[in-house]
Amino acid sequence: MKTEVTLGWRGAALVVLLAGLSSACAGTTTFPSSWRSPKAEPLAMKGEKMAAVVMMRDQTTRRHAEDVLAREITYYGAQGIPMYTLMSEPPEGNEAAARAAIEGAGIKGIVVMRPMGTKTTKETTQYHSDPYYSGYWGGYYGHGWGSAYGYPGSTRGALVGGPPIVYGGSAPSTETVTTTTEVVQVEVLVYSLKQNLLVWAGVSQSSKPEDKIDDFVVRLTAATVKELGEQRLIPSK
């Protein structure tokens, strides 16, 4: 089996992707990569104000995403506040004003989501067409009974290493199939302003990047909360 991975950063495409393309079915979100600060204390954020920050230059999409993220933060027990409601202008390049707004609002924690782009994975697999399977008489009958399973420990019927079988072939042959999967990656950071510390960070991978922004952020937040629970930074839900 051969696996080839290529990376591409498509900012404009990602904005469109997060802005509202619908999906027939929901995908999955995982964190293949994450980190917990060894200095982090459990987050006592129940009822506390937490800022929802989504770092995207497209302001319409950013505000929508921050609304959804803030709503989800509130759902999980804290008080979510969209960052755009604390500043009348975009926060990029104005750290002093952003800090003043955060501190003035009594924010105790920050959840940051920063879309990083898409990742395309190509997996190439070879399949083998076995003529023994082409017909029951004069083909599989003898082959199957000749390798039928015997008893525990028996070598008869043991699995044989090699490429997967394609059924129905009349002659020995090999076929190469390449499967391409595109996922979207988002960097997620959780800061405790009480500790003035980055307590947890991860890069998510979502298998269905066509989700509407609401579904996408809800799924990403749930995955983040699950990770925080497993790291004992918050009570497991």
Side-chain angles (χ1 to χ4, degrees):
M1 180 180 294
K2 176 184 178 183
T3 301
E4 177 187 355
V5 178
T6 59
L7 295 179
W9 307 111
R10 308 175 189 174
L14 186 61
V15 169
V16 174
L17 177 151
L18 291 178
L21 291 177
S22 62
S23 175
C25 59
T28 57
T29 295
T30 59
F31 281 94
S33 172
S34 65
W35 173 86
R36 181 195 192 279
S37 170
K39 299 179 181 179
E41 300 172 1
L43 294 168
M45 290 294 179
K46 186 174 182 179
E48 299 280 14
K49 293 181 180 179
M50 293 192 73
V53 178
V54 179
M55 293 185 170
M56 301 182 70
R57 295 191 184 278
D58 182 88
Q59 294 305 305
T60 300
T61 307
R62 173 200 151 219
R63 291 185 178 197
H64 189 173
E66 286 186 354
D67 280 337
V68 179
L69 178 56
R71 184 187 71 203
E72 290 303 295
I73 290 173
T74 300
Y75 171 79
Y76 286 105
Q79 183 181 348
I81 308 292
M83 184 63 200
Y84 78 85
T85 65
L86 302 178
M87 294 183 68
S88 58
E89 58 186 30
E92 61 260 27
N94 201 346
E95 183 176 342
R99 180 169 183 171
I102 289 284
E103 293 178 349
I107 302 295
K108 302 301 182 183
I110 301 175
V111 178
V112 180
M113 291 185 177
R114 182 174 68 91
M116 298 177 66
T118 58
K119 173 182 177 180
T120 302
T121 302
K122 294 183 178 179
E123 185 174 285
T124 301
T125 305
Q126 282 195 335
Y127 294 87
H128 177 64
S129 178
D130 193 331
Y132 285 119
Y133 287 86
S134 61
Y136 187 65
W137 304 122
Y140 185 74
Y141 187 90
H143 173 72
W145 281 113
S147 58
Y149 181 78
Y151 52 86
S154 170
T155 58
R156 293 179 63 79
L159 295 177
V160 179
I165 296 172
V166 175
Y167 296 102
S170 58
S173 66
T174 57
E175 179 184 359
T176 300
V177 177
T178 300
T179 302
T180 301
T181 303
E182 187 172 46
V183 296
V184 63
Q185 295 180 302
V186 178
E187 182 179 57
V188 182
L189 309 173
V190 179
Y191 285 91
S192 169
L193 297 187
K194 293 180 178 180
Q195 304 172 57
N196 191 28
L197 183 72
L198 171 66
V199 297
W200 182 88
V203 177
S204 72
Q205 184 169 291
S206 300
S207 61
K208 289 289 184 182
E210 308 91 356
D211 282 351
K212 291 182 179 179
I213 189 170
D214 302 63
D215 299 331
F216 183 85
V217 175
V218 167
R219 185 155 47 89
L220 182 53
T221 306
T224 300
V225 168
K226 181 176 181 291
E227 289 285 323
L228 294 175
E230 291 178 353
Q231 293 293 332
R232 298 184 180 180
L233 288 169
I234 62 173
S236 297
K237 211 170 169 67

